[in-house]
Amino acid sequence: MKIFAIGMNYAEHNKELENALYKPEAPVVFIKADSSLLRSGKPFFVPDHLGRIDYEAELVVRINRLGKNIAERFARRYYDALTVGIDFTARDLQTRLREAGHPWEICKGFDGAAAIGNWIEAEKFSDVQAIRFRLDKNGQTVQQGWTGDMLFRVDELIAYISRFFTLKTGDLLFTGTPVGVGPVNIGDHLEGWLEGERVLNLWCK
């Protein structure tokens, strides 16, 4: 199983990190280790040796068939379920790595850094680019996203990634986070909602 993730896919989030609204020339793709997968209901153990850890709520797509060099017009055939996930990020470490021009893997792919909620069948949504999702922290909404704001649409992402990697059944795609990322601490309660249905529920320990 591969866990793909997209950076810089919402303009307002780009502004909060980079102080500028912009669209990358191509999707920013990185991969998380399979050991980073954390399912809803399991605790997230905050790694105290990595400095500040931020939540980044995202729509996550589940790949359901083998595919390579997929045409964008056929991409919808290659995923069957959606959920809300959290791309946990070691922010201080990421800053140092980016300044040095080094890869992001250790600040994005550490154990537990890819939390996912319960799956909802994709066919229940009439348009994958018109879905609202949110993240609550300790009962307060901290992030709200609408997939229509994505700079690169889900089907675009699948087509693009499949040019470089063969997609396989069970692979996951984190599609990018909207504005509002922030730190987590021991004792925090995180809940992810997809169109009003709670799909993700975890505690930080």
Side-chain angles (χ1 to χ4, degrees):
M1 181 194 69
K2 300 182 291 298
I3 303 174
F4 299 103
I6 306 299
M8 305 299 182
N9 202 26
Y10 286 81
E12 290 292 337
H13 171 62
N14 298 348
K15 183 178 180 180
E16 75 176 340
L17 291 186
E18 306 288 342
N19 296 314
L21 292 167
Y22 72 96
K23 179 178 180 177
E25 293 183 3
V28 177
V29 181
F30 57 96
I31 295 178
K32 289 173 170 274
D34 58 3
S35 59
S36 68
L37 187 64
L38 178 68
R39 300 189 185 278
S40 180
K42 302 292 185 181
F44 172 66
F45 292 98
V46 181
D48 56 10
H49 64 292
L50 293 181
R52 170 173 164 161
I53 304 296
D54 280 4
Y55 56 77
E56 298 188 9
E58 313 195 6
L59 181 80
V60 183
V61 174
R62 184 177 69 189
I63 302 300
N64 68 332
R65 61 195 298 182
L66 186 72
K68 176 72 175 174
N69 291 319
I70 300 165
E72 184 180 333
R73 66 183 183 277
F74 298 131
R76 177 61 189 84
R77 302 177 182 178
Y78 288 83
Y79 56 95
D80 66 347
L82 311 172
T83 193
V84 173
I86 301 175
D87 168 20
F88 285 109
T89 303
R91 189 69 69 200
D92 296 336
L93 179 57
Q94 183 187 40
T95 298
R96 295 197 298 271
L97 291 170
R98 292 178 68 180
E99 289 175 349
H102 293 166
W104 291 3
E105 273 77 6
I106 60 174
C107 72
K108 289 280 195 177
F110 56 88
D111 289 354
I116 60 169
N118 299 320
W119 296 105
I120 298 179
E121 296 302 314
E123 64 185 18
K124 293 185 178 180
F125 302 95
S126 59
D127 184 355
V128 72
Q129 297 304 148
I131 296 174
R132 297 193 180 278
F133 62 97
R134 77 175 199 265
L135 181 71
D136 291 353
K137 174 184 171 183
N138 301 326
Q140 299 293 320
T141 298
V142 290
Q143 280 188 284
Q144 297 186 75
W146 181 56
T147 57
D149 288 332
M150 286 182 178
L151 299 176
F152 297 98
R153 301 183 306 276
V154 172
D155 290 357
E156 286 183 273
L157 295 173
I158 288 174
Y160 181 80
I161 292 170
S162 74
R163 292 165 51 189
F164 306 96
F165 303 94
T166 298
L167 299 182
K168 296 183 177 182
T169 300
D171 287 349
L172 306 180
L173 171 59
F174 282 66
T175 58
T177 194
V179 69
V181 303
V184 295
N185 296 287
I186 293 173
D188 283 343
H189 182 208
L190 301 175
E191 298 171 284
W193 301 78
L194 189 58
E195 287 291 357
E197 181 174 344
R198 190 179 75 169
V199 294
L200 176 64
N201 181 32
L202 62 84
W203 289 86
C204 298
K205 295 187 175 181

Coordinates of all heavy atoms in Angstrom, one line a residue, residues 39-129:
R39 N -5.8 4.6 12.1 CA -7.2 4.5 11.8 C -8.0 5.2 12.9 O -7.5 5.3 14.1 CB -7.6 3.0 11.7 CG -6.9 2.3 10.5 CD -7.5 1.0 10.2 NE -6.7 0.3 9.1 CZ -6.9 0.5 7.8 NH1 -7.8 1.4 7.4 NH2 -6.1 -0.1 6.9
S40 N -9.2 5.6 12.6 CA -10.1 6.3 13.5 C -10.3 5.4 14.7 O -10.5 4.2 14.6 CB -11.4 6.6 12.8 OG -12.3 7.2 13.7
G41 N -10.3 6.1 15.9 CA -10.5 5.4 17.2 C -9.2 5.0 17.9 O -9.2 4.7 19.1
K42 N -8.1 5.0 17.1 CA -6.8 4.7 17.7 C -6.2 6.0 18.2 O -6.4 7.1 17.6 CB -5.9 4.1 16.7 CG -6.4 2.8 16.1 CD -6.4 1.7 17.1 CE -6.8 0.3 16.5 NZ -6.9 -0.8 17.5
P43 N -5.4 6.0 19.3 CA -4.8 7.3 19.8 C -3.6 7.7 18.9 O -2.9 6.8 18.3 CB -4.3 6.9 21.2 CG -4.1 5.4 21.1 CD -5.2 4.9 20.2
F44 N -3.4 9.0 18.8 CA -2.2 9.5 18.2 C -1.3 9.9 19.3 O -1.5 10.8 20.1 CB -2.6 10.8 17.3 CG -1.4 11.5 16.8 CD1 -0.6 10.9 15.9 CD2 -1.1 12.8 17.3 CE1 0.6 11.6 15.4 CE2 0.1 13.5 16.8 CZ 0.9 12.8 15.8
F45 N -0.1 9.2 19.3 CA 0.9 9.5 20.3 C 1.8 10.6 19.8 O 2.5 10.4 18.8 CB 1.7 8.2 20.6 CG 0.9 7.2 21.3 CD1 0.3 6.1 20.5 CD2 0.6 7.3 22.6 CE1 -0.5 5.2 21.2 CE2 -0.1 6.3 23.3 CZ -0.7 5.3 22.6
V46 N 1.7 11.8 20.4 CA 2.5 13.0 20.0 C 4.0 12.7 20.2 O 4.4 12.5 21.3 CB 2.0 14.2 20.8 CG1 2.8 15.4 20.3 CG2 0.5 14.4 20.6
P47 N 4.8 12.7 19.1 CA 6.2 12.5 19.3 C 6.9 13.7 19.8 O 7.1 14.7 19.1 CB 6.6 12.1 17.8 CG 5.7 12.9 17.0 CD 4.4 12.9 17.7
D48 N 7.3 13.6 21.1 CA 7.8 14.8 21.8 C 9.2 15.2 21.3 O 9.7 16.3 21.5 CB 7.9 14.6 23.3 CG 8.6 13.3 23.7 OD1 9.3 12.7 22.9 OD2 8.5 13.0 24.9
H49 N 9.9 14.3 20.5 CA 11.2 14.6 20.0 C 11.2 15.3 18.7 O 12.3 15.7 18.2 CB 12.1 13.3 19.9 CG 11.5 12.4 18.9 ND1 10.3 11.7 19.0 CD2 12.0 12.0 17.7 CE1 10.1 10.9 18.0 NE2 11.1 11.1 17.1
L50 N 10.0 15.6 18.1 CA 10.0 16.2 16.8 C 9.5 17.7 16.9 O 9.4 18.3 15.8 CB 9.0 15.4 15.9 CG 9.5 14.0 15.5 CD1 8.4 13.4 14.6 CD2 10.8 14.0 14.8
G51 N 9.4 18.2 18.1 CA 8.9 19.6 18.2 C 7.5 19.8 17.9 O 6.7 18.9 18.1
R52 N 7.1 20.9 17.4 CA 5.7 21.2 17.2 C 5.1 20.3 16.1 O 5.6 20.1 15.0 CB 5.5 22.7 16.7 CG 4.1 23.0 16.2 CD 4.0 24.5 15.9 NE 2.8 24.8 15.1 CZ 2.2 25.9 15.0 NH1 2.7 27.0 15.6 NH2 1.1 26.1 14.2
I53 N 3.9 19.7 16.4 CA 3.2 18.8 15.5 C 1.9 19.5 15.1 O 1.1 19.9 16.0 CB 2.9 17.5 16.1 CG1 4.2 16.8 16.6 CG2 2.1 16.6 15.1 CD1 5.2 16.4 15.5
D54 N 1.6 19.7 13.9 CA 0.4 20.4 13.4 C -0.6 19.4 12.8 O -0.1 18.4 12.2 CB 0.7 21.4 12.3 CG 1.2 22.7 12.8 OD1 1.4 22.8 14.1 OD2 1.5 23.6 12.0
Y55 N -1.9 19.6 12.9 CA -2.9 18.9 12.2 C -3.1 19.5 10.9 O -3.0 20.8 10.7 CB -4.2 18.9 13.0 CG -4.7 20.3 13.3 CD1 -5.4 21.1 12.4 CD2 -4.6 20.8 14.6 CE1 -5.8 22.3 12.6 CE2 -5.0 22.1 14.9 CZ -5.6 22.8 13.9 OH -6.1 24.1 14.2
E56 N -3.4 18.7 9.9 CA -3.8 19.2 8.5 C -4.9 18.3 8.0 O -4.7 17.2 7.6 CB -2.6 19.2 7.6 CG -1.5 20.1 7.9 CD -0.4 20.2 6.9 OE1 -0.6 19.7 5.7 OE2 0.7 20.8 7.2
A57 N -6.2 18.8 8.1 CA -7.3 17.9 7.7 C -7.4 17.9 6.2 O -7.2 18.9 5.6 CB -8.6 18.5 8.4
E58 N -7.8 16.8 5.7 CA -7.8 16.6 4.2 C -8.9 15.6 3.8 O -9.2 14.7 4.6 CB -6.5 16.1 3.7 CG -5.3 16.9 4.2 CD -4.0 16.6 3.5 OE1 -4.0 16.0 2.4 OE2 -3.0 17.2 3.9
L59 N -9.4 15.8 2.6 CA -10.2 14.7 2.0 C -9.2 13.6 1.5 O -8.2 13.9 0.9 CB -11.0 15.2 0.8 CG -11.9 14.2 0.1 CD1 -13.2 14.0 0.9 CD2 -12.2 14.6 -1.4
V60 N -9.6 12.4 1.9 CA -8.8 11.2 1.5 C -9.5 10.3 0.5 O -10.7 10.1 0.8 CB -8.3 10.4 2.7 CG1 -7.4 9.3 2.3 CG2 -7.6 11.3 3.7
V61 N -8.9 9.9 -0.5 CA -9.5 9.0 -1.5 C -8.9 7.6 -1.5 O -7.7 7.5 -1.4 CB -9.3 9.7 -2.9 CG1 -9.8 8.8 -4.0 CG2 -9.9 11.1 -3.0
R62 N -9.7 6.6 -1.6 CA -9.2 5.2 -1.6 C -9.2 4.7 -3.1 O -10.3 4.6 -3.7 CB -10.1 4.3 -0.7 CG -9.6 2.9 -0.6 CD -10.4 2.1 0.4 NE -11.8 1.9 -0.2 CZ -12.8 1.4 0.6 NH1 -12.6 1.1 1.8 NH2 -14.0 1.1 0.0
I63 N -8.1 4.2 -3.5 CA -7.9 3.7 -4.9 C -8.5 2.2 -4.8 O -8.2 1.5 -3.9 CB -6.4 3.7 -5.3 CG1 -5.9 5.1 -5.3 CG2 -6.3 3.0 -6.7 CD1 -6.6 6.1 -6.2
N64 N -9.2 1.9 -5.9 CA -9.9 0.6 -5.9 C -9.5 -0.3 -7.1 O -10.1 -1.4 -7.2 CB -11.4 0.7 -5.9 CG -11.9 1.3 -7.2 OD1 -11.2 2.1 -7.9 ND2 -13.2 1.0 -7.5
R65 N -8.5 0.1 -7.9 CA -8.1 -0.8 -9.0 C -6.7 -0.4 -9.5 O -6.2 0.7 -9.2 CB -9.1 -0.7 -10.2 CG -9.3 0.6 -10.8 CD -10.5 0.8 -11.6 NE -10.5 -0.1 -12.8 CZ -11.4 -0.2 -13.7 NH1 -12.5 0.6 -13.6 NH2 -11.4 -1.0 -14.7
L66 N -6.1 -1.3 -10.2 CA -4.8 -1.1 -10.8 C -4.9 -0.1 -11.9 O -5.7 -0.2 -12.8 CB -4.2 -2.5 -11.2 CG -2.8 -2.5 -11.7 CD1 -1.9 -2.4 -10.5 CD2 -2.5 -3.8 -12.5
G67 N -3.9 0.8 -11.9 CA -3.9 1.8 -13.0 C -2.6 2.4 -13.2 O -1.8 2.7 -12.3
K68 N -2.3 2.7 -14.5 CA -1.0 3.4 -14.9 C -1.3 4.3 -16.1 O -2.1 3.9 -17.0 CB 0.0 2.3 -15.3 CG 1.3 2.9 -15.8 CD 2.1 3.6 -14.7 CE 3.5 4.0 -15.2 NZ 4.3 4.8 -14.2
N69 N -0.8 5.5 -16.1 CA -1.0 6.5 -17.1 C -2.5 6.6 -17.4 O -3.0 6.5 -18.5 CB -0.3 6.0 -18.4 CG 1.2 6.1 -18.3 OD1 1.7 7.1 -17.7 ND2 1.9 5.2 -18.8
I70 N -3.2 6.9 -16.3 CA -4.7 7.1 -16.4 C -5.1 8.4 -17.0 O -4.6 9.4 -16.6 CB -5.3 6.9 -15.0 CG1 -4.9 5.6 -14.4 CG2 -6.8 7.1 -15.0 CD1 -5.2 5.5 -12.9
A71 N -5.9 8.4 -18.0 CA -6.5 9.6 -18.6 C -7.4 10.3 -17.5 O -8.2 9.6 -16.9 CB -7.2 9.3 -19.9
E72 N -7.3 11.6 -17.5 CA -8.1 12.3 -16.4 C -9.6 12.0 -16.6 O -10.3 11.8 -15.6 CB -7.9 13.8 -16.6 CG -8.6 14.6 -15.5 CD -8.4 16.1 -15.6 OE1 -7.3 16.5 -16.1 OE2 -9.3 16.8 -15.2
R73 N -10.1 11.8 -17.8 CA -11.5 11.6 -18.0 C -12.0 10.2 -17.5 O -13.2 10.0 -17.3 CB -11.9 11.7 -19.5 CG -11.3 10.7 -20.4 CD -11.6 10.9 -21.9 NE -11.1 9.9 -22.8 CZ -9.9 9.9 -23.3 NH1 -9.0 10.9 -23.0 NH2 -9.5 9.0 -24.2
F74 N -11.0 9.3 -17.3 CA -11.3 8.0 -16.7 C -11.0 7.8 -15.3 O -11.2 6.8 -14.7 CB -10.6 6.9 -17.5 CG -11.0 6.8 -19.0 CD1 -10.0 6.8 -20.0 CD2 -12.3 6.8 -19.4 CE1 -10.3 6.7 -21.3 CE2 -12.7 6.8 -20.7 CZ -11.7 6.7 -21.7
A75 N -10.4 8.9 -14.6 CA -9.9 8.8 -13.3 C -10.9 8.4 -12.3 O -10.6 7.7 -11.3 CB -9.2 10.1 -12.9
R76 N -12.2 8.8 -12.5 CA -13.3 8.5 -11.5 C -13.5 7.0 -11.4 O -14.0 6.6 -10.3 CB -14.5 9.2 -12.0 CG -15.8 8.9 -11.1 CD -15.6 9.4 -9.7 NE -16.6 9.0 -8.8 CZ -16.7 7.8 -8.2 NH1 -15.7 6.9 -8.4 NH2 -17.7 7.5 -7.4
R77 N -13.1 6.2 -12.3 CA -13.2 4.8 -12.2 C -12.3 4.2 -11.2 O -12.4 3.0 -10.9 CB -13.0 4.1 -13.5 CG -13.9 4.6 -14.6 CD -13.6 4.0 -16.0 NE -14.4 4.5 -17.1 CZ -14.3 4.1 -18.3 NH1 -13.3 3.2 -18.6 NH2 -15.0 4.6 -19.3
Y78 N -11.3 4.9 -10.7 CA -10.2 4.4 -10.0 C -10.2 4.6 -8.5 O -9.3 4.3 -7.7 CB -8.8 4.9 -10.5 CG -8.5 4.2 -11.9 CD1 -9.1 4.7 -13.0 CD2 -7.7 3.1 -12.0 CE1 -8.8 4.2 -14.3 CE2 -7.4 2.5 -13.2 CZ -8.0 3.0 -14.3 OH -7.8 2.4 -15.5
Y79 N -11.3 5.2 -8.0 CA -11.5 5.3 -6.5 C -13.0 5.0 -6.2 O -13.9 5.3 -6.9 CB -11.0 6.7 -6.0 CG -11.7 7.9 -6.7 CD1 -12.8 8.5 -6.1 CD2 -11.2 8.4 -7.9 CE1 -13.4 9.6 -6.7 CE2 -11.7 9.5 -8.4 CZ -12.8 10.1 -7.9 OH -13.4 11.2 -8.4
D80 N -13.1 4.5 -5.0 CA -14.5 4.0 -4.6 C -15.0 4.5 -3.3 O -16.1 4.3 -2.9 CB -14.5 2.5 -4.6 CG -13.7 1.9 -3.5 OD1 -12.8 2.6 -2.9 OD2 -13.8 0.7 -3.3
A81 N -14.1 5.2 -2.5 CA -14.5 5.7 -1.2 C -13.7 6.9 -0.8 O -12.6 7.1 -1.2 CB -14.3 4.6 -0.1
L82 N -14.4 7.7 0.1 CA -13.8 8.9 0.6 C -13.9 9.0 2.1 O -14.8 8.4 2.7 CB -14.6 10.1 0.0 CG -14.8 10.2 -1.5 CD1 -15.8 11.3 -1.8 CD2 -13.5 10.3 -2.2
T83 N -13.0 9.8 2.7 CA -13.1 10.0 4.2 C -12.3 11.3 4.5 O -11.8 11.9 3.6 CB -12.5 8.8 5.0 OG1 -12.9 9.0 6.4 CG2 -11.0 8.7 4.9
V84 N -12.3 11.7 5.7 CA -11.4 12.8 6.2 C -10.2 12.2 6.9 O -10.3 11.2 7.6 CB -12.2 13.7 7.2 CG1 -11.3 14.7 7.8 CG2 -13.3 14.4 6.5
G85 N -9.1 12.7 6.6 CA -7.8 12.3 7.2 C -7.1 13.5 7.8 O -7.4 14.6 7.5
I86 N -6.1 13.2 8.6 CA -5.2 14.2 9.1 C -3.8 13.9 8.7 O -3.2 12.8 9.0 CB -5.3 14.3 10.6 CG1 -6.7 14.6 11.1 CG2 -4.3 15.4 11.1 CD1 -6.9 14.6 12.6
D87 N -3.2 14.8 8.0 CA -1.7 14.8 7.6 C -1.0 15.5 8.7 O -0.8 16.7 8.7 CB -1.5 15.5 6.3 CG -0.1 15.7 5.9 OD1 0.8 15.0 6.5 OD2 0.2 16.6 5.1
F88 N -0.6 14.7 9.8 CA 0.2 15.3 10.9 C 1.6 15.7 10.4 O 2.2 14.9 9.6 CB 0.3 14.3 12.0 CG -0.9 14.1 12.8 CD1 -1.7 13.0 12.8 CD2 -1.4 15.2 13.6 CE1 -2.8 12.8 13.5 CE2 -2.6 15.0 14.4 CZ -3.3 13.9 14.4
T89 N 2.0 16.9 10.8 CA 3.3 17.4 10.2 C 4.1 17.9 11.4 O 3.7 18.7 12.2 CB 3.0 18.6 9.3 OG1 2.1 18.1 8.2 CG2 4.2 19.1 8.7
A90 N 5.4 17.5 11.4 CA 6.3 18.1 12.3 C 6.8 19.4 11.8 O 7.8 19.4 11.0 CB 7.5 17.1 12.5
R91 N 6.2 20.5 12.2 CA 6.3 21.8 11.5 C 7.7 22.4 11.7 O 8.3 22.9 10.7 CB 5.3 22.8 12.0 CG 5.2 24.0 11.2 CD 4.7 23.8 9.8 NE 3.3 23.5 9.9 CZ 2.7 22.9 8.9 NH1 3.3 22.5 7.8 NH2 1.4 22.6 8.9
D92 N 8.3 22.3 12.9 CA 9.6 22.9 13.1 C 10.6 22.1 12.2 O 11.5 22.7 11.6 CB 10.0 22.8 14.6 CG 9.1 23.6 15.5 OD1 8.5 24.6 15.0 OD2 9.0 23.3 16.7
L93 N 10.5 20.8 12.2 CA 11.4 20.0 11.4 C 11.2 20.3 9.9 O 12.2 20.4 9.2 CB 11.2 18.5 11.7 CG 12.0 17.5 11.0 CD1 13.5 17.8 11.2 CD2 11.6 16.1 11.4
Q94 N 10.0 20.4 9.5 CA 9.7 20.7 8.1 C 10.4 22.0 7.7 O 11.0 22.1 6.6 CB 8.2 20.8 7.8 CG 7.9 21.0 6.4 CD 6.4 21.3 6.1 OE1 5.8 22.0 6.9 NE2 5.9 20.8 5.0
T95 N 10.3 23.0 8.5 CA 10.9 24.3 8.2 C 12.4 24.2 8.0 O 13.0 24.7 7.1 CB 10.6 25.3 9.4 OG1 9.2 25.5 9.4 CG2 11.3 26.7 9.1
R96 N 13.1 23.4 8.9 CA 14.5 23.2 8.8 C 14.9 22.4 7.5 O 15.8 22.8 6.9 CB 15.0 22.5 10.0 CG 14.9 23.3 11.3 CD 15.8 22.7 12.4 NE 15.5 21.3 12.8 CZ 14.6 21.0 13.7 NH1 13.9 22.0 14.4 NH2 14.3 19.7 14.0
L97 N 14.1 21.4 7.2 CA 14.3 20.6 6.1 C 14.2 21.4 4.8 O 15.0 21.3 3.8 CB 13.4 19.4 6.0 CG 13.6 18.3 7.1 CD1 12.5 17.3 7.1 CD2 15.0 17.6 6.9
R98 N 13.1 22.2 4.7 CA 12.9 23.0 3.5 C 14.0 24.1 3.3 O 14.4 24.3 2.2 CB 11.5 23.7 3.6 CG 10.4 22.7 3.5 CD 9.0 23.4 3.6 NE 8.7 24.3 2.5 CZ 7.6 25.0 2.3 NH1 6.7 24.9 3.3 NH2 7.4 25.7 1.3
E99 N 14.4 24.7 4.4 CA 15.5 25.7 4.3 C 16.8 25.1 3.8 O 17.5 25.7 3.1 CB 15.7 26.4 5.7 CG 14.5 27.3 6.1 CD 14.7 27.8 7.5 OE1 15.6 27.3 8.2 OE2 14.0 28.8 7.9
A100 N 17.0 23.8 4.2 CA 18.2 23.1 3.7 C 18.0 22.5 2.4 O 19.0 21.9 1.8 CB 18.6 22.1 4.8
G101 N 16.8 22.5 1.8 CA 16.6 21.9 0.5 C 16.5 20.4 0.6 O 16.7 19.7 -0.4
H102 N 16.2 19.8 1.8 CA 16.1 18.4 2.0 C 14.7 17.9 1.8 O 13.7 18.6 1.9 CB 16.6 18.0 3.3 CG 18.1 18.3 3.5 ND1 18.7 18.3 4.8 CD2 19.1 18.6 2.6 CE1 20.0 18.6 4.6 NE2 20.2 18.7 3.3
P103 N 14.5 16.5 1.6 CA 13.2 15.9 1.4 C 12.4 16.1 2.7 O 12.9 16.3 3.8 CB 13.5 14.5 1.1 CG 14.9 14.5 0.6 CD 15.6 15.6 1.3
W104 N 11.0 15.9 2.6 CA 10.1 16.1 3.6 C 9.8 14.8 4.4 O 9.1 14.9 5.4 CB 8.8 16.6 3.1 CG 8.7 18.0 2.5 CD1 9.8 18.8 2.4 CD2 7.6 18.6 2.0 NE1 9.3 20.0 1.9 CE2 8.0 19.9 1.6 CE3 6.2 18.3 1.9 CZ2 7.1 20.8 1.1 CZ3 5.3 19.2 1.4 CH2 5.8 20.4 0.9
E105 N 10.2 13.7 4.0 CA 9.7 12.4 4.5 C 9.6 12.3 6.0 O 8.6 11.9 6.5 CB 10.4 11.2 3.9 CG 9.9 10.7 2.5 CD 10.3 11.7 1.4 OE1 11.1 12.6 1.6 OE2 9.9 11.4 0.3
I106 N 10.6 12.6 6.7 CA 10.6 12.4 8.1 C 9.7 13.3 8.9 O 9.3 13.0 10.0 CB 12.1 12.4 8.7 CG1 12.7 13.7 8.5 CG2 12.9 11.3 8.2 CD1 14.1 13.8 9.3
C107 N 9.4 14.5 8.3 CA 8.4 15.4 9.0 C 7.0 15.1 8.6 O 6.1 15.6 9.3 CB 8.8 16.8 8.7 SG 8.4 17.4 7.1
K108 N 6.8 14.2 7.6 CA 5.4 13.9 7.2 C 5.1 12.4 7.3 O 3.9 12.1 7.3 CB 5.3 14.3 5.7 CG 5.2 15.8 5.4 CD 3.9 16.4 5.7 CE 3.7 17.8 5.2 NZ 2.3 18.3 5.4
G109 N 6.1 11.6 7.4 CA 5.8 10.2 7.3 C 6.1 9.3 8.5 O 6.2 8.1 8.4
F110 N 6.3 10.0 9.6 CA 6.6 9.3 10.9 C 5.4 8.5 11.3 O 4.3 8.6 10.8 CB 7.0 10.3 12.0 CG 6.1 11.4 12.3 CD1 5.1 11.2 13.2 CD2 6.2 12.6 11.6 CE1 4.2 12.2 13.5 CE2 5.2 13.6 11.9 CZ 4.2 13.4 12.8
D111 N 5.6 7.6 12.2 CA 4.5 6.6 12.7 C 3.3 7.4 13.2 O 3.4 8.3 14.0 CB 5.1 5.8 13.8 CG 6.0 4.7 13.3 OD1 6.2 4.6 12.1 OD2 6.6 4.0 14.2
G112 N 2.2 7.1 12.6 CA 0.9 7.7 13.1 C 0.6 9.0 12.4 O -0.4 9.6 12.6
A113 N 1.4 9.4 11.4 CA 1.2 10.7 10.8 C 0.2 10.8 9.7 O -0.1 11.8 9.1 CB 2.6 11.2 10.2
A114 N -0.5 9.7 9.4 CA -1.5 9.6 8.3 C -2.8 9.0 8.9 O -3.1 7.8 8.8 CB -1.0 8.8 7.1
A115 N -3.5 9.8 9.7 CA -4.8 9.4 10.3 C -5.9 9.4 9.2 O -6.0 10.3 8.4 CB -5.1 10.3 11.5
I116 N -6.7 8.3 9.3 CA -7.8 8.3 8.3 C -9.1 7.9 9.1 O -9.1 7.2 10.1 CB -7.6 7.3 7.2 CG1 -7.4 5.9 7.7 CG2 -6.5 7.7 6.3 CD1 -7.5 4.8 6.6
G117 N -10.2 8.4 8.6 CA -11.5 8.1 9.2 C -12.2 6.9 8.6 O -11.6 6.2 7.8
N118 N -13.4 6.7 8.9 CA -14.2 5.6 8.3 C -14.6 6.0 6.9 O -14.9 7.2 6.6 CB -15.4 5.3 9.2 CG -15.1 4.9 10.6 OD1 -14.1 4.2 10.8 ND2 -15.8 5.4 11.6
W119 N -14.7 5.0 6.0 CA -14.9 5.3 4.6 C -16.4 5.5 4.3 O -17.3 4.8 4.9 CB -14.4 4.2 3.8 CG -12.9 4.0 3.8 CD1 -12.2 3.1 4.5 CD2 -11.9 4.9 3.2 NE1 -10.9 3.3 4.4 CE2 -10.7 4.4 3.6 CE3 -12.0 6.0 2.4 CZ2 -9.5 5.0 3.2 CZ3 -10.8 6.6 2.0 CH2 -9.6 6.1 2.4
I120 N -16.7 6.4 3.4 CA -18.0 6.5 2.8 C -17.9 6.3 1.3 O -17.0 6.8 0.7 CB -18.6 8.0 3.1 CG1 -18.7 8.2 4.6 CG2 -19.9 8.1 2.4 CD1 -19.2 9.6 4.9
E121 N -18.8 5.5 0.8 CA -18.8 5.2 -0.6 C -18.9 6.4 -1.5 O -19.7 7.3 -1.2 CB -19.9 4.2 -1.0 CG -19.9 2.8 -0.3 CD -18.5 2.1 -0.6 OE1 -18.2 2.1 -1.8 OE2 -17.9 1.6 0.4
A122 N -18.0 6.5 -2.4 CA -17.9 7.7 -3.3 C -19.2 7.9 -4.1 O -19.5 9.1 -4.4 CB -16.7 7.6 -4.2
E123 N -19.9 6.9 -4.4 CA -21.1 7.0 -5.2 C -22.2 7.8 -4.4 O -23.2 8.2 -5.1 CB -21.7 5.6 -5.6 CG -22.1 4.7 -4.4 CD -22.5 3.3 -4.9 OE1 -22.1 2.9 -6.0 OE2 -23.2 2.7 -4.1
K124 N -22.1 7.9 -3.1 CA -23.1 8.7 -2.4 C -22.9 10.2 -2.6 O -23.8 11.0 -2.2 CB -22.9 8.4 -0.9 CG -23.3 7.0 -0.5 CD -23.3 6.7 1.0 CE -23.7 5.3 1.3 NZ -23.7 5.1 2.8
F125 N -21.9 10.6 -3.2 CA -21.6 12.0 -3.5 C -21.8 12.3 -5.0 O -21.2 11.6 -5.8 CB -20.2 12.5 -3.1 CG -20.0 12.2 -1.6 CD1 -19.3 11.0 -1.2 CD2 -20.4 13.1 -0.7 CE1 -19.1 10.8 0.1 CE2 -20.1 12.9 0.7 CZ -19.5 11.7 1.1
S126 N -22.6 13.3 -5.3 CA -22.9 13.5 -6.8 C -21.7 14.2 -7.5 O -21.5 14.0 -8.7 CB -24.1 14.4 -6.9 OG -24.0 15.7 -6.2
D127 N -20.9 14.9 -6.7 CA -19.8 15.6 -7.3 C -18.6 15.6 -6.3 O -18.8 16.3 -5.2 CB -20.2 17.0 -7.7 CG -19.1 17.8 -8.4 OD1 -17.9 17.3 -8.5 OD2 -19.3 18.9 -8.8
V128 N -17.5 15.0 -6.6 CA -16.4 14.9 -5.6 C -15.8 16.3 -5.4 O -15.1 16.6 -4.4 CB -15.4 13.9 -6.1 CG1 -14.6 14.4 -7.3 CG2 -14.4 13.6 -5.0
Q129 N -16.1 17.2 -6.4 CA -15.5 18.6 -6.2 C -16.5 19.6 -5.6 O -16.4 20.8 -5.8 CB -15.0 19.1 -7.6 CG -13.9 18.3 -8.2 CD -12.7 18.2 -7.3 OE1 -11.9 17.2 -7.3 NE2 -12.4 19.2 -6.5

